[in-house]
Each structure stands twice: as C-alpha cells, then as structure tokens.
Amino acid sequence: MASSIFNAPCTVPAVNGKNYFGLKPAVNNDLRFDVGKTTSIIGCPKRVFTVRASEKKDGPLKKLGLNDAECEAAVVAGNVPEAPPVPPRPAAPAGTPAVPSLPLSRRPRRNRKSPAMRASFQETSIAPANFVYPLFIHEGEEDTPIGAMPGCYRLGWRHGLVEEVAKARDVGVNSIVLFPKVPDGLKSPTGDEAYNDNGLVPRAIRLLKDKYPDLVIYTDVALDPYSSDGHDGIVREDGVIMNDETVYQLCKQAVSQARAGADVVSPSDMMDGRIGAIRKALDAEGFQHVSIMSYTAKYASSFYGPFREALESNPRFGDKKTYQMNPANYREALVEAHEDESEGADILLVKPGLPYLDIIRLLRDKSPLPIAAYQVSGEYSMIKAGGVLKMIDEERVMMESLTCLRRAGADIILTYFALQAARCLCGEKR
Ligand code: PBG
C-alpha cells in the first residue's frame, strides 16, 4: 500500500485505517486527477481518487426537523443532545513506573503523532519529475545485464533503450542521461569517436527525439568511454592529462551531441575552463538554447567502480586524482562552483551523492543555480546488495536515500533507481 513509502508527500494516509479508502496517490503536483481516466500524458497514469469521509455504521443520524434557533434553545434549556463519551485514558502495561510528567513547554513529538499530521508537516517532497535516469547503451541488439549493478543493463540502442524510456515516461520520468559502451576498435588516445556525428550517442539521441520529441536528453561530455587509456582526457607520454587540448575535444563532442538534439550537455571530465569553452562553442554553432550541467564537484571516488565495469572504462593506468577532486576537500568545491557559475553553467552537479550531502548543501546555500546530485553506481549497488541479502529493506532505503538527497538541497537526482522509485511514488509495484 502506498503509505509504506517513506513519508512520501503523495501518501494521504489512512486515518485509523477507516476514514479514507480507495486512495491511489499521484505524486506529481502538476498532474490533476481525472476521475475514471487511466491514460497518461507525461506523468503517472491517472488514477481514480476516492475519499470516503466516514463509514456508515448505523446509518445516518435521523434529523428531527428543528431549525437553528430551536436547536440553540434546546441546548440553552439544558437539553443537550448526546455525543460519544470522553474516551477512557489508554492503560499503560503493568509495571510501568508512575512518574510525574516532565515540565516541557515543547514536545516535538506532538507534530508527529499521526500519519496525517506527519504528511502535513513534511518539509521535503520528491517526485518522478526530480529524477534523471542514467542509461547505458551499446551497439548490440540484446540487453546485457551488468553484473555489478543488479537490475541495470547495457541496452541495445534501437530496442531496449526505446522500451526503457517508454517505461520511465509512463511513471513520469521524462529525463534521461546516456552513457555509451564504445567498441574497443573505435577507442583512441585522442578519443575522436566522441565527436563522430554518426557515433552511438548521436544516433541514439536522434532515434529517441524522433519517437519522443519532448523527452529531455542529457549527455555525458568526457573522453573516457572513447579513450584507449580510459581517462577523461588526452594522456601525455609522461602520464599527465592534458587540459586545454582535452577541452578542445570536449567542445567538439558537446557540439556534436547538440547537433543530434541533446537538451543538456553535461561535462563530467573536470578539466579546467571547459564550461566557458563549451558555452562558446555551442553558441558559435547556433546552440544557444542547449543547457550545460556541469559536474562541478566531482570527487575521485571509489564509488564509481560498478559504472566502470558497465562501460569497461577503467583507466588503463593510474587514477583520476589529478583532475577529480580529493574526497577530503570541502572548500575546494566553492572554487569550482565560482568558476562554473561565471563561465555560464546552468546546473551545478555534485557527485557522488549520499556521502557528499554536505557539499550539496554548501552549493545549494552558496549558489542560486539549480543543483543536481548523482547517486552513483556504488551507492546503487550497495543498496541493491543489502536488499538481495535481506540485510535492509531495499525499497525503503532507496526512498529514504533519495529523499535525503532532496533534503540536502538537490533539485534533480541522477539515479539508477529512477524507474523503480517513480513506480513506488506512483503507487505501483513491479
Ligand atoms: C566519466 C564518468 C564516470 C561516471 C559518470 N561519468 C566515472 C568516472 O569518472 O570514472 C560515474 C557514474 C557512476 O559511478 O554511477 N566521465
């Protein structure tokens, strides 16, 4: 039942389990209930909404045919109509110590005492419209399961991808981000396949836009899936990741994605100055309307392990610590945020998500721009693994973690749980 969702705002709880019945919540505030209709536009399937205010036990009370004045006169005359008695005080179990009540002027538990009150005072909401669904694609025709990410697949771009997008849209998730698994034969030290207009990503974008013109498509801008070195930039002989030369390639990649129809390009590479350069390149080609979501505070995290397995994009040597941020750093996120803001980023992203809630809150408080959080592969896989082993309740932990990312200040969340969580919010089970 819907009220099992972690304090979700869509949950109108059953009071006493009696007063409200037949409720099927919709979570997207933009959606209106159309009684009797089951079609969906770009939200949850519409549901019939039935609220019964009271149960008929002994039938309705008989009216005596008195007017207001007669009713008042009866009460003044001491003829007070009967109402249910004052309820008895519930008994405590035998052995409960008898203590004087604490002299508290504030008892915060008062506002939590019933599901209806908790729903009234919930500060954070979460809806399918807040999710961006990351999807792995490949050239194959079949969908290949990703071992380290139960429930995730490398989707065939012509079939599985289109079907997965349709499922997501059915429950109100209308934003996706694409990650390609590129054949080894197309990888090179300079990652030139990244800006092939007929490459996997541009082809997939064109196909999706043809089928779903209103789908919001985010793309990843970085060389790692295309680099024979598995790094986000061009690697010099001595192992140094070359900054400005990489930015040159990224500009071409972003323009190629925009040309195919991408709505938001998302540089995840962490090179310096790439936001300004990409903005300039997009504008020069007539793509003023294409947004940039910058991976502003992207940390050199071990939580990306399963993702790299998914794309077979592990760095061939070394690590990404000369461009991704040190997980021990907080203030440095502000340096990146100031740069990205002044270079024209439209959205600032923090990655990973849950272990970096303080950074999300920092950017939320310091920047007027929308904030995105990326609940990365390792976070997803840990919750899945805990669920499979029956160590935690997967669905509740999933909803709680997503709600916490919103509470910390994320407007949107990139999450592999997007479909599963949206189904939950729409009151559907898999
Ligand atoms: C690479 C990229 C990575 C992720 C998104 N884009 C991996 C990395 O930086 O090595 C990780 C996403 C995840 O772990 O879910 N540009």
Side-chain angles (χ1 to χ4, degrees):
M1 149 166 152
S3 59
S4 66
I5 298 168
F6 171 78
N7 276 353
C10 59
T11 307
V12 179
V15 178
N16 299 333
K18 275 184 186 169
N19 292 349
Y20 296 79
F21 285 92
L23 179 71
K24 278 288 193 176
V27 72
N28 191 332
N29 295 333
D30 298 337
L31 293 175
R32 267 161 288 145
F33 289 102
D34 273 4
V35 176
K37 279 195 190 166
T38 51
T39 49
S40 74
I41 308 170
I42 48 164
C44 311
K46 298 207 168 132
R47 286 161 189 292
V48 179
F49 185 97
T50 320
V51 174
R52 205 184 295 158
S54 63
E55 270 206 289
K56 291 177 184 164
K57 275 192 201 135
D58 313 319
L61 268 183
K62 286 238 171 57
K63 287 187 185 168
L64 298 175
L66 304 177
N67 64 27
D68 291 358
E70 288 166 334
C71 289
E72 288 193 352
V75 173
V76 171
N79 235 341
V80 181
E82 241 180 74
V86 173
R89 287 195 177 232
T96 302
V99 298
S101 66
L102 295 171
L104 304 179
S105 62
R106 197 158 293 289
R107 287 182 182 259
R109 288 183 56 189
R110 281 196 282 259
N111 286 348
R112 302 179 205 135
K113 64 175 162 273
S114 70
M117 289 183 73
R118 290 195 293 276
S120 300
F121 304 129
Q122 182 160 317
E123 298 174 35
T124 305
S125 67
I126 186 163
N130 301 124
F131 299 145
V132 179
Y133 192 13
L135 297 171
F136 300 108
I137 53 174
H138 70 159
E139 297 284 2
E141 302 211 315
E142 303 300 326
D143 302 336
T144 317
I146 298 165
M149 300 177 71
C152 289
Y153 296 80
R154 281 185 218 129
L155 302 165
W157 70 280
R158 270 182 300 184
H159 307 99
L161 170 64
V162 178
E163 285 159 22
E164 194 70 8
V165 168
K167 286 182 207 161
R169 282 162 60 87
D170 272 350
V171 285
V173 177
N174 200 40
S175 299
I176 61 154
V177 54
L178 294 174
F179 292 104
K181 174 175 179 302
V182 177
D184 280 345
L186 292 175
K187 297 185 182 182
S188 68
T190 46
D192 300 279
E193 176 63 14
Y195 55 86
N196 174 1
D197 281 340
N198 220 15
L200 178 55
V201 168
R203 259 183 282 134
I205 295 173
R206 297 197 311 259
L207 178 67
L208 287 174
K209 279 287 177 180
D210 186 56
K211 288 203 185 297
Y212 311 115
D214 64 330
L215 178 70
V216 182
I217 302 183
Y218 292 66
T219 54
D220 189 56
V221 180
L223 295 187
D224 53 323
Y226 309 92
S227 154
S228 40
D229 296 308
H231 274 286
D232 291 27
I234 300 173
V235 186
R236 210 168 59 185
E237 193 178 39
D238 58 358
V240 166
I241 311 297
M242 304 175 78
N243 193 88
D244 300 14
E245 295 76 2
T246 298
V247 171
Y248 182 82
Q249 299 290 75
L250 299 177
C251 289
K252 291 202 274 185
Q253 182 181 18
V255 167
S256 169
Q257 294 167 345
R259 199 177 286 128
D263 298 278
V264 186
V265 298
S266 324
S268 67
D269 56 288
M270 292 301 281
M271 296 301 118
D272 295 332
R274 87 275 208 219
I275 301 303
I278 290 172
R279 184 71 271 161
K280 215 169 136 208
L282 289 172
D283 291 354
E285 296 285 331
F287 298 116
Q288 286 83 357
H289 56 283
V290 172
S291 316
I292 302 179
M293 176 170 76
S294 175
Y295 284 61
T296 296
K298 176 173 178 180
Y299 288 86
S301 169
S302 300
F303 284 94
Y304 307 151
F307 174 97
R308 293 181 191 168
E309 181 199 309
L311 296 188
E312 291 173 10
S313 65
N314 254 306
R316 205 166 45 80
F317 63 90
D319 50 44
K320 300 192 174 184
K321 290 180 185 169
T322 68
Y323 44 109
Q324 299 179 350
M325 286 171 57
N326 180 346
N329 288 1
Y330 174 83
R331 283 175 287 126
E332 194 181 351
L334 281 182
V335 177
E336 292 284 356
H338 287 147
E339 282 310 304
D340 289 351
E341 271 188 2
S342 65
E343 290 177 30
D346 299 287
I347 306 163
L348 306 182
L349 181 144
V350 176
K351 177 182 176 187
L354 213 57
Y356 294 79
L357 291 181
D358 56 333
I359 311 297
I360 297 172
R361 172 50 58 189
L362 175 69
L363 296 200
R364 154 56 64 242
D365 288 344
K366 298 286 183 186
S367 173
L369 291 176
I371 305 297
Y374 199 144
Q375 182 181 53
V376 299
S377 54
E379 299 175 67
Y380 170 86
S381 297
M382 288 196 305
I383 295 174
K384 279 280 171 193
V388 168
L389 294 175
K390 303 248 181 290
M391 289 176 167
I392 54 169
D393 180 326
E394 175 184 323
E395 197 171 290
R396 285 171 189 263
V397 172
M398 165 184 79
M399 291 313 301
E400 182 175 333
S401 66
L402 294 168
T403 302
C404 293
L405 290 165
R406 292 269 302 149
R407 189 200 64 226
D411 296 285
I412 57 171
I413 304 171
L414 285 72
T415 173
Y416 303 97
F417 281 124
L419 176 59
Q420 191 181 344
R423 282 178 171 165
C424 249
L425 289 168
C426 288
E428 276 181 27
K429 290 272 182 194
R430 264 200 301 171

